[in-house]
Amino acid sequence: MIAEVGRFCLILALIITSLQVVAGLWGARRQNAQLLAVANSAAVAQFIFIALAFALLVWLFVVSDFSVMVVAANSATIKPMFYKITSTWGNHEGSMLLWVLILAFFGAAIGVLGRTMPAPFKARVLGIQGLISLGFLAFIIFTSSPFARLFPVPVEGAGFNPLLQDPGLAAHPPLLYLGYVGFSTAFSFAVAALIEGRTDTVWVRYARPWIIIAWICLTIGITLGSLWAYYELGWGGWWFWDPVENASLMPWLLGTALVHSALVVERRFALVRWTILLGILTFSMSLLGTFVVRSGILTSVHAFAVDPARGAFILVLLVLATGGGLALYAIRSPALGAGRVFSLVSREGSLVLNNILLVTITGTVFLGTFYPLLIDLLTEDKISVGAPFYAMTFVPMAAPLLLVMVIGPMLSWRRDSGQGLTMRLAPALFVGFAVLVLVAAGTHGAKAIAALWLAMAAWIVVGSLMILVRRTRLGQVSAAESVTLLKALPPATFGLVLAHAGIGLLVAGLAGGALFKQEGVAMLGAGQSVPFVGRMLTLVGVRPGREANYEFVRGRIEIRRGTGKPGLLFPERRFYPERQSETTEAGVRVTPLGNLYVALGDQAEDGRWTVRYYSHPLAIWIWLVGGVMALGGGVALFDRRNWLAPERQPAQAVQTPGSMPA
Amino acid sequence: MTLPRPVVLLAAIAPFAVFIVLAIALAFGLKNDPAALPSVLVGKPAPIFALGPVRANDSGFSTADITGKVAVINVFGSWCSACRLEHPMLMDLAAQGVTIHGIDWKDDPADGAAWLARFGDPYARVGNDQSGRLALDLGVSGAPETFIIDKAGRIRYKLVGPITPERWRDEMAPLIAQLEAGQ
């Protein structure tokens, strides 16, 4: 019964969404206030019904109703309650439902929070948002209903992928989706602006907070995913350039470019057309990511049961959304103003360079992800593109980006003489150079490349802090005056500093890892020790045990340094009988300077265990970065300018909104 | 920064044009079944092999068992979750009287035997390939994989991933019938 109610809710949502599309787009065209209000209410109602359907699905998982197919296939009574709930979105049908739930959430949020938006524009945005919803609701109802019944009803469910039984991973898809799907707002705002032929900055103004929210969520989502890979996959890697990872990285890269170019539109009224294009492309990358993951077009056949019909459906949605958006762009964009002129050496100039680099990097990742597919099409060879490809392409393009991101914020808008730039950047240059010399000398020049990267990291962190120094005119005016200036700085500036400094920490974490990483492997019997990075690792013992839904062997490893109190690590191997599969849970000791990572391997015939151990210097920084950058985005969100109606129009944009035939 | 009109128009249309090309490529990619990994060995003679037993009191699986017959050989392992997914299909086929042989790949024979005892044993003959040597000769890239070998001992078909009812009905069963008829 509950399943049928859930299905009914989805069908209702589909009908309401159709209403939202018609009322929004047609109402805006007719300037009909009543229709505009209908679009608004429909966006909220759509969210309520999808949320209800989702809640019902969660409930079906909670009570283990195996008469419902997805529950039977993905849950089991013996599973802990927490994972019963998280298995709601640990499968195709449930995760797609989560996808539209989040899409509807953004629609409803725009409906409720976007009070200051011009009504016709808002209705168009909701109409476009509704169109996307419509496609995905149809996808769910017609190809992937989470409420399909199963007969005969099995006594026990078929479990759940044990690799996914992890708290970090349980939170990972929702956050990732918040990011992915959040970029739908960028798309809807951009397309609505194209429909209206808006040549002002209004759309960017209103879209910006949503884009930032999406960006924050995606940043955290990617970070969590990589953290999970680090301690679950058992060898200490944290990024694999796997198609699924790339699928989340591409919208992040374009979204980052979009956040920057939107800034240029808003403050300087330049890059107008380009920003609209980025808005469309960013969400297209999200759709592409969904397509890649859901069609199985690039994933290993051994991992998922692939259903080409689903892939085809999403591809059609992708073609309609992106193709429609780009076609509209082709028709409408030439009529939009080119924007204001700026000199190459200026804040805008640096942001253009930022955009060019970010888009090129995205292109590289895109190529790496889809090249195997292309080769397969042309030659029937199956190849895969791995880390070496990205090391060769991604890194050389990231380097100039890292240089620009420090210089850019130091430049003035419109035109900068470049005079005194060296002085403005002197501290960053100095610290970077000092780090280079110290590290190179400390390693006797053996790790020149890594030393260069560490210097780059120092350059970014110090350079980002210099933004604060410059904006508060520290040293040029009295300290009291600087404090006053500091207090007057808009939150966006702090957001900028945090996000940029975060990138610096990331580079430090990467370079530190490459520079000082050490690893070893030993066969240890109980009580045996092995020396490692100035410590003594002792395998105290290994004991087997059993939890609700898995069996495990747990090693107890003592880490002794000098005469101090020893630390303990408990690396585990788990065996899940329902799925006949094993997972590794590494023991990781985290310190700011580095991680000690221990994984338990097989037991040899003589009773000794294979123990692999790694030292990952500065590793934790890699993931802290996600937090720092997301925090930067969060702070920027509090900027008043995000939430006010635009108070003035740039001189060139005096054309009234909607003066183009709509 | 004011661009000439043709450039503006071109820049407006280019994204759409590029996208259409990409979308066509993706559509073909979708049609291109990732499971139909063509083996360079299809059409070539199957390697000669003699595998040790998995089940207790069993003689294993060797070339002699399939000589002169059409053989369906399934590569599995107790560690392989997709094999678990495929397993009911194999049990169904065995119940219909289809002869399927098994290669227990990169697996401890005891684990393989326990797996068969627990979930059911669809195999006529089953051998253990713990070293992975035979699988290497067959060009196995993962489990499960299924091969069809003709009476002359040549590999005629290779499937990567679980056997699905559609694949069985549309591809494998007709091929077996054709090979049985002795082309």
Side-chain angles (χ1 to χ4, degrees):
Chain A
M1 187 51 200
I2 291 177
E4 280 67 37
V5 175
R7 195 176 156 75
F8 184 67
C9 285
L10 286 183
I11 294 172
L12 262 181
L14 185 79
I15 296 168
I16 293 170
T17 308
S18 318
L19 198 67
Q20 176 183 336
V21 173
V22 175
L25 296 181
W26 196 57
R29 199 189 164 99
R30 302 294 302 266
Q31 301 282 329
N32 182 323
Q34 276 157 331
L35 280 178
L36 300 186
V38 167
N40 221 12
S41 317
V44 176
Q46 180 207 351
F47 171 67
I48 291 171
F49 279 106
I50 295 177
L52 197 60
F54 189 78
L56 290 172
L57 187 62
V58 172
W59 178 250
L60 291 172
F61 271 91
V62 167
V63 299
S64 293
D65 184 343
F66 295 135
S67 72
V68 174
M69 207 183 288
V70 283
V71 182
N74 299 291
S75 194
T77 48
I78 53 163
K79 196 142 72 166
M81 181 52 72
F82 179 74
Y83 292 113
K84 278 185 189 170
I85 295 172
T86 62
S87 28
T88 310
W89 55 82
N91 59 80
H92 168 78
E93 288 82 359
S95 77
M96 286 319 295
L97 186 57
L98 179 67
W99 207 98
V100 285
L101 175 68
I102 291 171
L103 188 64
F105 166 76
F106 276 99
I110 292 171
V112 172
L113 294 176
R115 285 201 197 87
T116 54
M117 288 168 67
F121 181 64
K122 180 177 171 187
R124 286 197 168 101
V125 170
L126 290 177
I128 305 294
Q129 198 78 15
L131 265 180
I132 305 169
S133 269
L134 206 58
F136 278 90
L137 277 171
F139 173 69
I140 290 179
I141 293 171
F142 298 119
T143 77
S144 334
S145 174
F147 297 110
R149 292 283 193 179
L150 182 64
F151 189 84
V153 177
V155 195
E156 179 55 282
F160 187 51
N161 190 347
L163 263 182
L164 305 180
Q165 282 197 19
D166 171 90
L169 207 65
H172 176 234
L175 276 166
L176 209 56
Y177 279 8
L178 273 170
Y180 258 33
V181 183
F183 282 128
S184 65
T185 54
F187 179 85
S188 300
F189 278 88
V191 170
L194 278 176
I195 293 177
E196 293 201 347
R198 281 198 99 92
T199 52
D200 54 24
T201 63
V202 169
W203 82 271
V204 173
R205 256 308 152 85
Y206 290 112
R208 223 167 106 79
W210 305 107
I211 297 171
I212 294 178
I213 290 173
W215 184 86
I216 293 171
C217 295
L218 194 55
T219 306
I220 300 178
I222 293 175
T223 309
L224 279 179
S226 123
L227 189 59
W228 168 77
Y230 178 70
Y231 73 83
E232 188 84 1
L233 296 183
W235 59 274
W238 57 277
W239 190 264
F240 300 89
W241 298 109
D242 161 288
V244 177
E245 285 174 333
N246 289 350
S248 65
L249 184 64
M250 288 188 282
W252 187 87
L253 289 168
L254 281 192
T256 307
L258 179 62
V259 168
H260 288 93
S261 76
L263 193 72
V264 180
V265 177
E266 201 182 314
R267 301 282 157 78
R268 298 298 311 158
F269 195 63
L271 304 185
V272 178
R273 289 188 289 241
W274 169 245
T275 305
I276 287 191
L277 183 60
L278 262 186
I280 296 172
L281 290 182
T282 304
F283 182 57
S284 302
M285 284 297 162
S286 301
L287 286 175
L288 192 69
T290 310
F291 169 70
V292 164
V293 176
R294 289 297 146 213
S295 70
I297 193 168
L298 292 171
T299 37
S300 153
V301 279
H302 301 106
F304 294 101
V306 178
D307 183 350
R310 288 173 177 171
F313 203 117
I314 298 186
L315 186 61
V316 169
L317 293 180
L318 173 73
V319 168
L320 288 179
T322 310
L326 291 178
L328 196 63
Y329 178 82
I331 299 165
R332 282 290 168 85
S333 73
L336 301 181
R340 282 188 185 157
V341 179
F342 52 86
S343 124
L344 270 183
V345 183
S346 64
R347 184 86 62 87
E348 294 97 314
S350 74
L351 287 167
V352 168
L353 194 53
N354 148 307
N355 269 226
I356 291 172
L357 288 167
L358 278 171
V359 170
T360 318
I361 292 174
T362 311
T364 310
V365 177
F366 185 91
L367 200 67
T369 311
F370 288 93
Y371 182 68
L373 183 72
L374 197 71
I375 290 297
D376 187 15
L377 283 176
L378 298 178
T379 67
E380 301 233 312
D381 281 340
K382 298 264 174 184
I383 62 148
S384 71
V385 169
F389 168 80
Y390 296 99
M392 255 164 43
T393 54
F394 192 96
V395 176
M397 279 187 288
L401 189 62
L402 298 178
L403 285 173
V404 173
M405 66 183 283
V406 171
I407 299 171
M410 290 292 177
L411 297 173
S412 312
W413 288 108
R414 204 156 62 126
R415 186 186 301 119
D416 193 292
S417 62
Q419 273 177 1
L421 185 62
T422 337
M423 278 311 293
R424 286 175 235 165
L425 292 166
L429 279 171
F430 176 76
V431 175
F433 192 68
V435 167
L436 179 66
V437 170
L438 281 176
V439 175
T443 55
H444 307 290
K447 310 259 185 170
I449 303 282
L452 214 56
W453 283 108
L454 276 180
M456 184 77 98
W459 149 263
I460 299 167
V461 173
V462 176
S464 305
L465 295 175
M466 287 308 292
I467 297 170
L468 285 182
V469 173
R470 177 166 154 80
R471 305 269 162 97
T472 56
R473 308 182 65 187
L474 190 69
Q476 290 175 312
V477 295
S478 72
E481 213 166 318
S482 283
V483 171
T484 319
L485 282 169
L486 185 71
K487 282 180 185 157
L489 280 182
T493 305
F494 293 103
L496 156 75
V497 171
L498 279 170
H500 280 208
I503 292 281
L505 294 183
L506 176 65
V507 174
L510 297 187
L515 184 56
F516 303 111
K517 187 166 104 178
Q518 293 189 48
E519 56 182 80
V521 60
M523 298 291 296
L524 295 181
Q528 285 189 304
S529 301
V530 61
F532 183 57
V533 289
R535 297 174 178 83
M536 195 56 97
L537 307 187
T538 309
L539 181 68
V540 179
V542 177
R543 84 181 171 83
R546 169 181 282 283
E547 285 288 334
N549 57 341
Y550 62 88
E551 295 153 20
F552 64 85
V553 284
R554 181 179 293 159
R556 183 186 171 92
I557 298 211
E558 212 176 72
I559 305 151
R560 203 178 276 281
R561 176 173 214 172
T563 52
K565 195 170 168 290
L568 281 173
L569 283 182
F570 301 96
E572 252 181 55
R573 288 179 57 174
R574 293 180 181 171
F575 176 70
Y576 292 79
E578 357 149 21
R579 284 268 173 141
Q580 292 287 309
S581 56
E582 266 200 22
T583 67
T584 319
E585 307 280 317
V588 186
R589 191 163 72 153
V590 181
T591 67
L593 281 179
N595 293 356
L596 194 63
Y597 182 108
V598 181
L600 192 64
D602 291 316
Q603 188 175 24
E605 280 168 16
D606 61 5
R608 293 188 300 163
W609 291 85
T610 313
V611 177
R612 286 174 300 129
Y613 36 88
Y614 305 79
S615 157
H616 296 133
L618 307 185
I620 191 65
W621 294 26
I622 297 171
W623 299 289
L624 280 181
V625 168
V628 172
M629 291 174 63
L631 187 69
V635 170
L637 209 50
F638 282 100
D639 204 304
R640 249 161 32 92
R641 286 172 291 185
N642 281 329
W643 303 101
L644 292 178
E647 66 277 10
R648 63 181 164 81
Q649 298 278 314
Q652 253 170 317
V654 284
Q655 204 176 354
T656 43
S659 63
M660 288 280 301
Chain B
M1 286 294 284
T2 318
L3 299 166
R5 182 95 186 140
V7 177
V8 170
L9 289 179
L10 197 66
I13 293 166
F16 181 70
V18 171
F19 171 74
I20 292 301
V21 173
L22 278 176
I24 291 169
L26 282 177
F28 273 104
L30 201 63
K31 242 175 70 184
N32 204 38
D33 189 341
L37 195 69
S39 169
V40 286
L41 291 174
V42 168
K44 303 261 169 64
I48 309 279
F49 61 92
L51 296 177
V54 171
R55 302 176 288 221
N57 308 320
D58 188 89
S59 57
F61 178 35
S62 66
T63 307
D65 296 321
I66 57 166
T67 307
K69 297 173 194 153
V70 176
V72 180
I73 301 179
N74 176 255
V75 179
F76 74 102
S78 68
W79 44 268
C80 153
S81 54
C83 301
R84 177 82 191 79
L85 208 72
E86 180 189 45
H87 193 262
M89 180 71 201
L90 294 178
M91 292 303 284
D92 274 1
L93 293 177
Q96 290 165 29
V98 179
T99 305
I100 304 168
H101 305 294
I103 297 175
D104 183 19
W105 180 43
K106 286 193 181 167
D107 206 6
D108 191 272
D111 292 345
W115 197 78
L116 292 176
R118 179 171 178 150
F119 298 112
D121 184 353
Y123 301 113
R125 307 232 50 99
V126 54
N128 179 268
D129 185 25
Q130 190 160 14
S131 65
R133 184 60 214 268
L134 173 60
L136 196 70
D137 289 345
L138 279 169
V140 169
S141 63
E145 275 186 20
T146 304
F147 294 84
I148 296 175
I149 296 176
D150 67 14
K151 290 179 184 170
R154 274 174 312 181
I155 300 171
R156 299 299 292 265
Y157 182 86
K158 174 187 178 182
L159 173 70
V160 174
I163 302 175
T164 59
E166 297 75 35
R167 222 172 250 290
W168 177 262
R169 189 188 61 222
D170 301 339
E171 293 173 14
M172 302 175 74
L175 177 66
I176 292 168
Q178 184 200 337
L179 294 176
E180 290 283 6
Q183 1 96 65

